[in-house]
């Protein structure tokens, strides 16, 4: 690595692992402030180059994407996801993306609007007027339900707590694994983390293969993602059972926790900004109660966009160079790992006036929204690996928020939650709010 790239001093062997485990977001923001847009940090003994400027983000994700693969941390997710869309590379990735793309076509995505509506109705039917809700667990429940219905057309409300628990444990164990340079070894040996991780994965597999086998016994288009995966075929044939399992697990895991977090942060922001809540509800009162999936209220869309700016569910994106690369003014050898952080870039005052403040109105002015540089906002990544589920996430986010906020008013009880950047950016602990029926 060229010496010209500066960074904070690190401890031998463990590098900045302690800072990254304690509070990675503040640490990365401080690194940018002290050392600039391209810096060097260390996870264990592995050097990592942090890239914060939108133009450099574009170089890596779009212009020079062919020189990069996903970083080691992302590659490790194949322990759970197999060789699915998120983790595969090159021609395997291109084939899978092409096979899976029809499942994400606009018309098909719109057909899931009913799943979102019914899941939201089912969720809010349990709420008490004047009761206290943990917004995070409610939104996790909602997104889990939507993901399961749209993937499997199954109503798993009764199984949801069990699935949620298995996923939660898998995510926590997984976070330990990726923040440890010996991660892969850790899960292969009979260590406590390894044993728990394998048990969690087994449980998830049991659920998934159960649903796949059920579908094999009752084939045909049931209007869900799984039907599309069974139907997907190209000149090389269709998907194997293992490929279907990997794709389903990927859509399930990549899709629901990210959206749950975006919804949680949106509701946290609404319930801590009563003036905005009142303005939004006044607008929603003028509209039909059933949200239009194709044309959401602009203020609801602005709220969801601003929540993902301040709290991007995917707070870090990793890449590894497969050949010597140039980023900004610096050259790096093959094998260099890069870390991009939507969190840090989204809160950069050079590109976002009042960057730390909740100002959803900034999304109402099209000129302001389209102002360069493009990659000052990239909650869904970019280039050929851009989130395939982005349209689904927007539809789910805006529909659920419209439905919830038309009928319910929130008053935050807990103060601003700390963040807990595991694989996704969750709040630490509960986010309690009083809910009142309007
Ligand atoms: C607010 C919600 C969401 C956010 C913030 C989000 C964010 C992202 C990001 C940043 C990436 C790119 C990662 C990288 O370049 O390394 C990604 C990829 C992906 N996302 Fe999402 N996502 C969301 C919702 C969804 C949904 C709803 C689905 C599926 C139903 C989904 C499925 C995927 C898949 C399969 C990939 C891998 C695509 C590929 O590599 O070709 N995501 N997502």
């Amino acid at each position: 690595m060229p010496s010209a790239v500066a960074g904070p001093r690190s401890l031998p062997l463990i590098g900045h692992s302690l800072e990254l485990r304690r509070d990675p977001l503040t640490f990365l923001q401080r690194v940018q402030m002290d050392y600039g847009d391209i810096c060097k940090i260390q996870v264990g003994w592995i050097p990592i180059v942090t890239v914060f400027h939108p133009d450099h983000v574009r170089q890596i994700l779009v212009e020079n994407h062919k020189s990069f693969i996903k970083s080691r941390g992302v590659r490790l997710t194949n322990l759970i996801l197999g060789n699915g869309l998120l983790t595969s590379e090159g021609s395997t990735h291109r084939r899978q993306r092409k096979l899976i793309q029809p499942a994400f076509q606009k018309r098909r995505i719109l057909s899931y609007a009913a799943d979102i509506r019914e899941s939201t109705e089912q969720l809010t039917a349990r709420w008490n007027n004047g009761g206290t809700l943990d917004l995070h667990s409610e939104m996790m429940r909602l997104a889990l339900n939507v993901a399961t219905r749209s993937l499997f057309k199954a109503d798993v409300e009764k199984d949801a707590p069990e699935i949620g628990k298995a996923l939660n444990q898998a995510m926590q164990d997984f976070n330990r694994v990726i923040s440890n340079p010996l991660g892969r070894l850790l899960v292969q040996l009979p260590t406590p983390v390894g044993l728990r991780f394998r048990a969690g994965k087994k449980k998830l597999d049991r659920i998934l293969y159960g649903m796949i086998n059920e579908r094999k016994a009752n084939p045909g288009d049931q209007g869900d993602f799984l039907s599309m995966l069974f139907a997907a075929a190209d000149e090389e044939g269709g998907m194997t059972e293992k490929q279907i399992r990997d794709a389903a697990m990927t859509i399930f895991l990549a899709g629901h926790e990210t959206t749950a977090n975006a919804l949680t942060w949106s509701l946290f922001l609404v319930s801590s900004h009563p003036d905005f809540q009142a303005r939004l509800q006044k607008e929603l009162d003028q509209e039909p109660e059933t949200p239009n999936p194709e044309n959401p209220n602009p203020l609801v869309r602005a709220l969801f966009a601003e929540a993902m700016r301040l709290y991007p569910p995917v707070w870090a994106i990793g890449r590894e160079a497969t050949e010597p690369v140039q980023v900004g003014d610096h050259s790096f050898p093959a094998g260099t790992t890069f870390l991009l952080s939507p969190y840090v870039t989204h809160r950069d005052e050079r590109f976002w006036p009042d960057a730390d403040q909740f100002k959803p109105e900034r999304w109402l002015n099209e000129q302001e929204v389209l102002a360069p540089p493009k990659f000052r906002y990239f909650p869904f990544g970019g280039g050929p690996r851009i989130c395939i589920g982005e349209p689904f996430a927007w539809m789910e986010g805006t529909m659920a928020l419209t439905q919830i906020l038309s009928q319910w008013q929130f008053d935050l009880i807990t103060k601003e939650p700390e963040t807990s950047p595991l694989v996704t950016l969750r709040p630490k602990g509960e986010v309690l709010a009083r809910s009142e029926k309007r």
Side-chain angles (χ1 to χ4, degrees):
M1 185 167 307
S3 55
V5 176
R9 283 164 64 104
S10 61
L11 292 170
L13 285 178
I14 62 167
H16 299 108
S17 298
L18 293 179
E19 291 94 326
L20 283 167
R21 197 171 282 189
R22 209 177 299 132
D23 186 357
L25 303 177
T26 310
F27 173 66
L28 290 175
Q29 281 186 306
R30 221 188 56 227
V31 167
Q32 183 199 26
M33 207 141 57
D34 295 346
Y35 299 95
D37 284 325
I38 299 183
C39 320
K40 186 184 80 172
I41 61 168
Q42 216 163 303
V43 179
W45 56 87
I46 301 172
I48 307 253
V49 175
T50 53
V51 172
F52 299 120
H53 194 287
D55 292 343
H56 302 152
V57 170
R58 195 190 63 233
Q59 280 180 5
I60 292 178
L61 293 184
V62 186
E63 288 159 14
N64 300 333
H65 72 88
K66 285 201 175 119
S67 309
F68 298 93
I69 55 173
K70 300 254 170 143
S71 59
R72 180 189 143 273
V74 185
R75 290 204 303 270
L76 272 177
T77 57
N78 67 8
L79 290 167
I80 302 183
L81 301 180
N83 200 19
L85 194 57
L86 195 78
T87 47
S88 57
E89 298 289 348
S91 57
T92 310
H93 172 259
R94 276 195 299 281
R95 173 166 186 246
Q96 292 213 31
R97 183 116 186 172
K98 223 167 115 193
L99 279 168
I100 293 172
Q101 194 68 54
F104 286 91
Q105 266 166 4
K106 192 169 172 205
R107 214 160 42 94
R108 187 76 183 187
I109 292 292
L110 281 173
S111 75
Y112 301 126
D115 294 324
I116 297 168
R117 223 171 9 246
E118 283 160 26
S119 299
T120 312
E121 260 165 35
Q122 205 174 344
L123 181 88
T124 55
R126 300 166 37 255
W127 293 355
N128 296 320
N129 192 9
T132 299
L133 294 174
D134 171 19
L135 298 176
H136 185 48
S137 59
E138 292 302 312
M139 292 305 103
M140 285 292 276
R141 181 187 272 267
L142 173 63
L144 184 64
N145 202 290
V146 171
T148 320
R149 278 181 192 227
S150 55
L151 248 172
F152 307 116
K153 270 289 174 260
D155 184 347
V156 289
E157 186 68 4
K158 65 179 196 325
D159 297 328
E162 194 205 357
I163 299 178
K165 232 169 108 190
L167 276 175
N168 213 8
Q169 191 62 55
M171 284 287 181
Q172 277 184 29
D173 292 339
F174 183 71
N175 193 52
R176 290 227 193 109
V177 170
I178 51 170
S179 58
N180 188 317
L182 296 176
R184 195 172 283 275
L185 199 64
L186 210 65
V187 293
Q188 274 154 8
L189 295 176
T191 56
V193 174
L195 291 172
R196 242 200 346 256
F197 185 85
R198 288 207 296 274
K201 177 172 177 263
K202 220 165 156 182
K203 204 166 183 178
L204 284 173
D205 266 347
R206 193 168 42 75
I207 297 168
L208 268 176
Y209 276 119
M211 305 232 185
I212 290 174
N213 285 330
E214 223 173 82
R215 185 57 50 88
K216 259 180 31 195
N218 304 295
D221 187 358
Q222 303 193 14
D224 56 10
F225 276 112
L226 194 59
S227 307
M228 295 299 280
L229 298 179
F230 269 97
D234 59 9
E235 53 286 352
E236 290 174 49
M239 291 170 91
T240 63
E241 200 166 298
K242 168 78 167 65
Q243 281 171 331
I244 291 178
R245 175 256 176 229
D246 291 352
M249 185 74 108
T250 301
I251 294 173
F252 194 54
L253 283 189
H256 97 276
E257 169 151 344
T258 41
T259 313
N261 282 315
L263 278 167
T264 303
W265 292 114
S266 300
L267 285 184
F268 153 69
L269 288 164
V270 166
S271 48
S272 52
H273 292 84
D275 290 350
F276 174 77
Q277 183 166 204
R279 180 180 161 202
L280 178 59
Q281 289 178 326
K282 212 167 142 195
E283 280 199 16
L284 293 179
D285 287 345
Q286 315 299 317
E287 297 180 9
E289 237 182 48
T290 308
N292 178 347
E294 284 196 85
N295 190 20
N297 171 285
L299 212 49
V300 171
R301 212 183 139 82
L303 164 65
F304 198 57
E306 184 72 343
M308 288 192 288
R309 184 184 69 80
L310 286 167
Y311 302 99
V314 178
W315 59 281
I317 294 179
R319 289 292 188 271
E320 188 179 303
T322 52
E323 55 188 353
V325 289
Q326 174 94 13
V327 180
D329 294 332
H330 300 278
S331 311
F332 300 94
T336 306
T337 300
F338 294 87
L339 184 143
L340 326 177
S341 173
Y343 182 89
V344 176
T345 306
H346 290 183
R347 286 178 182 248
D348 191 323
E349 284 282 342
R350 289 173 298 174
F351 312 113
W352 295 99
D354 301 323
D356 283 334
Q357 286 179 34
F358 172 63
K359 288 197 164 176
E361 309 76 31
R362 63 173 101 230
W363 296 96
L364 298 179
N365 178 342
E366 195 175 336
Q367 243 174 343
E368 218 175 290
V369 172
L370 296 177
K374 185 161 185 273
F375 278 83
R376 67 187 175 134
Y377 187 66
F378 61 115
F380 294 98
R385 306 303 298 248
I386 195 168
C387 176
I388 199 170
E390 178 175 353
F392 191 100
W394 279 105
M395 182 172 81
E396 179 175 350
T398 51
M399 278 187 72
L401 287 173
T402 305
Q403 227 170 310
I404 291 171
L405 291 166
S406 302
Q407 296 168 15
W408 293 86
Q409 179 154 331
F410 299 99
D411 190 5
L412 194 69
I413 298 174
T414 32
K415 57 180 182 11
E416 175 163 2
E418 283 180 47
T419 49
S420 171
L422 294 173
V423 179
T424 61
L425 185 54
R426 296 165 163 224
K428 193 178 269 175
E430 295 179 322
V431 186
L432 297 179
R434 206 174 332 280
S435 55
E436 261 172 51
K437 190 105 174 83
R438 299 184 65 232

